[in-house]
Amino acid sequence: MADVNPLLQALPPAVDYLSYLTIVEYNLNGDQLSVFHEILQDTTLTANIGWDLVHLLLPLLPQSQPCLQDVARLGNPREVVLKVTELLEGLRTGASFEDDQEEGQDQKEVVVEETGTGGTSPQHDTTPASNDDVKAQNPPSKESQFRALLDMLAILHPRIKTKYPSRFLSTSLQSVLSAYATLLNDDEQATDAVLSFIKSFAGSKRPRLPPRKSSTHMPVQPEQGPISAPDPEASEEPVAPEEQALQQRLLQSFLTFAVEGYMSALPSEDEEVVAMAWSTRLQEQLHPEKNIPGRRTMREAFEEDEQLHRRDSTMGQMLALARDLHLTPDELVKTLTEPEDLSDDNPDDLPSSASDVPLSRPGCLHLLCATIASNILFHAPSTIPSLSIFPAFSSLLSLLLGDPSSGTIGTQSASSLIDSLLFLGIHTLETSGSITKAPEDDDDNDTFTNTLQRLSLLSANTPSAPLRYHAHLLTSRLLHAHPNENLRLSFINDTLQHCPYETLKASAVGWLKDEILLAASNNNNNNNTDKAEADDYATSSIFKTTPARLLEICSPYLFHNPSSLAAMSHAEFLAHRPFFLAVLN
């Protein structure tokens, strides 16, 4: 007598659903998947047991992918969504599918024993599936499981027909984001899965082209994918517009946090290439005369290197999804510049309106920079919002970098965040041309000083040499662009007197030299320049007073007493060497 397949022999009503689940757990293996795929076409069966099959099928990936799709299409969508969310949390915490199998081990033996002795159903094999050892040795990667679970969510959520679908969507998105944060790596498998998942909700839906008329009148069969079962608990009430707006806002928020995670995970060990290297590529385009002949530019590196080119491609996809979700540049700027929300709302509470859902500020910054870069670096048509150094950019520095008095600015922030900030600052200063709107009262002067302090700390503390250089250039340009000579002198003098970083004191010496050269140039041009024009030009230099007066003010901090130098140890002298060399030069 030929062996009877236990999965077919025990089909309900031969046994109840719980008993059949136990039999499936003991007998399901790679060889049975094709049979099980046919079994799962029974909508009633899959609706009753589908939610408890996901953790059994996940270890058998990729062969079990069709069965997982069956569960997503035909299972009870509300129950299966909860199970998928639970498994995503398991990926985040490190729990594996073996944990679920161990928890139910004792129950399996009892249920199978009862099934076999009840007299109403045949005996079934209680020996674990033959490929369990193989599964233990070669389990699917977490990235493969993550993608499979997201593919299921993309099918499940549209099936849920309820008055408040955002409640299911919010819980799922939080679980996806938590799992994604633990799977980020440079091969971008998890990122590709997340982008496909978002696109299933928000991707551009183009209408299908009409069929061409055939002279032979051949019938045209429309393309149809697998049909999903209706929601057995479907609500008849239509979804309110406010609920639709909330769902879109949830997806917008999810995208911004995914962008933040992706950018933060980009490797920055390379001294030359930091994250997207936007600030370097912008400087190369603005000042091509500074590119070293014969040396590959950063633009060429991103065009020629496959890994770097993939970063541009991924950011391009994220930017396209932002457009599909109607996340406009103006909305990004609004998020970046609005004050921080200090409300005491519990983050675990489900949002009740779109205004309750926050966007990631770093994620919005990266998307805004990607919009600007696509226009400037790649000449893509895009709307670039108008920004100013004050108050927009200075407020953003304050929100993302914190208090400069801590001295830790540049040591704790992701390199990708610093690169985007510097890119935005350089672009804003380049397009605005000046900071004539910079302030005049004491509070605004403090804002200007704090902005310079934050940027100068970046130039001293950031591990990346290119970013330190760009931060120094931006600090210098902002300082020299300020129309108030007393404020410029005060900042230079304060840096020389109180700054604990020798590299910043050396930079202050450079700022002083720039002002001296500007004044000397003004004096040389006085003979050939109209007096009114010369007076206007002179207001841009702190030597509107006199160079001698300025040197008198700064000399105590520029020229050390020789006796104090003689008393220095060799280690102390080396620590002060950058400043001494700047003064000597």
Side-chain angles (χ1 to χ4, degrees), residues 34-54:
S34 59
V35 174
F36 198 54
H37 172 57
E38 297 299 326
I39 292 174
L40 290 177
Q41 304 313 306
D42 183 338
T43 305
T44 303
L45 174 68
T46 308
N48 280 278
I49 68 172
W51 66 275
D52 212 17
L53 294 175
V54 184

Side-chain angles (χ1 to χ4, degrees), residues 84-95 171 174-176 178-179:
V84 171
T85 301
E86 176 188 330
L87 291 171
L88 284 169
E89 287 291 333
L91 290 179
R92 179 183 66 83
T93 60
T171 303
Q174 290 181 41
S175 299
V176 172
S178 298

Side-chain angles (χ1 to χ4, degrees), residues 112-319:
V112 173
E113 189 174 320
E114 290 176 353
T115 304
T117 59
T120 59
S121 61
Q123 296 287 342
H124 302 291
D125 183 13
T126 59
T127 304
S130 61
N131 69 336
D132 275 0
D133 293 337
V134 177
K135 288 190 294 184
Q137 294 174 5
N138 300 298
S141 67
K142 286 188 174 182
E143 288 80 6
S144 299
Q145 299 175 57
F146 181 69
R147 177 180 285 277
L149 293 174
L150 261 61
D151 288 344
M152 293 184 69
L153 287 178
I155 297 173
L156 288 163
H157 278 288
R159 291 184 57 206
I160 299 176
K161 304 301 180 184
T162 177
K163 187 177 180 180
Y164 302 106
S166 64
R167 296 178 180 177
F168 290 92
L169 183 61
S170 176
T171 303
S172 295
L173 293 180
Q174 290 181 41
S175 299
V176 172
L177 196 61
S178 298
Y180 176 58
T182 65
L183 298 175
L184 283 167
N185 50 55
D186 197 34
D187 63 12
E188 300 189 5
Q189 291 185 39
T191 300
D192 291 342
V194 166
L195 295 180
S196 298
F197 173 66
I198 301 175
K199 192 172 184 179
S200 68
F201 289 91
S204 298
K205 306 294 193 301
R206 295 179 177 85
R208 189 182 301 277
L209 292 173
R212 292 188 302 175
K213 293 182 179 180
S214 172
S215 59
T216 57
H217 302 286
M218 295 179 62
V220 178
Q221 297 293 335
E223 295 182 16
Q224 292 184 351
I227 299 175
S228 297
D231 182 0
E233 305 172 52
S235 170
E236 298 296 331
E237 296 186 62
V239 178
E242 294 80 5
E243 177 68 14
Q244 294 175 352
L246 176 55
Q247 291 185 76
Q248 177 164 289
R249 182 67 170 185
L250 285 170
L251 291 169
Q252 290 176 344
S253 176
F254 177 76
L255 175 62
T256 60
F257 280 98
V259 170
E260 178 187 358
Y262 171 75
M263 292 290 289
S264 299
L266 286 178
S268 57
E269 295 82 6
D270 193 329
E271 281 294 324
E272 295 295 327
V273 183
V274 179
M276 301 300 298
W278 278 326
S279 54
T280 300
R281 288 193 273 177
L282 179 59
Q283 286 284 17
E284 288 177 348
Q285 180 157 316
L286 293 175
H287 303 286
E289 71 280 359
K290 294 185 178 181
N291 296 338
I292 301 176
R295 182 177 179 180
R296 186 172 71 164
T297 64
M298 196 59 63
R299 181 189 184 94
E300 293 169 344
F302 271 79
E303 290 174 351
E304 298 168 2
D305 187 281
E306 182 179 353
Q307 290 289 339
L308 298 179
H309 185 71
R310 187 180 301 168
R311 296 183 192 180
D312 272 340
S313 176
T314 299
M315 281 307 303
Q317 293 179 61
M318 291 177 169
L319 198 56

